[in-house]
Amino acid sequence: QMQLVASGGGSVQAGGSLRLSCAVLTDCMAWFRQAPGKEREGVASLWIHPGSTYYADSVKGRFTISQDNAKNTLYLQMNSLKPEDTAMYYCAAGPQSTSTWARGRCGFNGNEYYSWGQGTQVTVSS
């Protein structure tokens, strides 16, 4: 089980941008977030082999998940940030599975991931 290190969080005003990074390279990689008093939710996932990406409806068109194979780094580019994006963001790594193939993407079930980052805080002010 790997200990992942996520970075890139910070405080920005609404409409701003941040890019999160995480040193990881596995079949399925994802970003999750958890706001105070709320459950953890999947934000974006990437299935490395076909390059299939998936986004939560709340971030579609604003966030982009990508990976640099040469650097073994996962990114989450976050644009047009909103106050409701404020949360601790976690990167996660896991294997592909029969569910991955059936869905055509990596999922947002935390149980599918075996390694997690320590979290990086994103705060968006209005």
Side-chain angles (χ1 to χ4, degrees):
Q1 183 172 355
M2 300 177 288
Q3 177 63 48
L4 308 180
V5 179
S7 61
S11 297
V12 297
Q13 291 191 329
S17 297
L18 285 172
R19 188 176 77 161
L20 307 184
S21 301
C22 178
V24 62
L25 178 64
T26 60
D27 293 330
C28 278
M29 296 167 284
W31 290 96
F32 289 77
R33 68 186 181 186
Q34 187 167 20
K38 294 188 177 181
E39 292 187 354
R40 183 180 62 196
E41 63 175 346
V43 175
S45 70
L46 172 64
W47 185 14
I48 188 171
H49 295 298
S52 173
T53 58
Y54 184 71
Y55 297 93
D57 287 343
S58 58
V59 306
K60 279 181 184 177
R62 300 188 298 120
F63 290 12
T64 302
I65 188 171
S66 63
Q67 189 227 359
D68 185 329
N69 287 337
K71 297 181 179 180
N72 289 353
T73 301
L74 180 72
Y75 299 104
L76 184 68
Q77 178 66 44
M78 305 185 294
N79 298 328
S80 302
L81 282 161
K82 305 176 180 180
E84 50 264 43
D85 294 318
T86 295
M88 186 72 76
Y89 284 71
Y90 300 89
C91 56
Q96 60 184 357
S97 66
T98 54
S99 296
T100 308
W101 286 96
R103 290 184 302 238
R105 60 173 175 82
C106 297
F108 285 159
N109 184 339
N111 292 329
E112 298 178 10
Y113 297 89
Y114 52 68
S115 291
W116 293 80
Q118 84 286 4
T120 185
Q121 178 68 39
V122 172
T123 303
V124 185
S125 58
S126 58

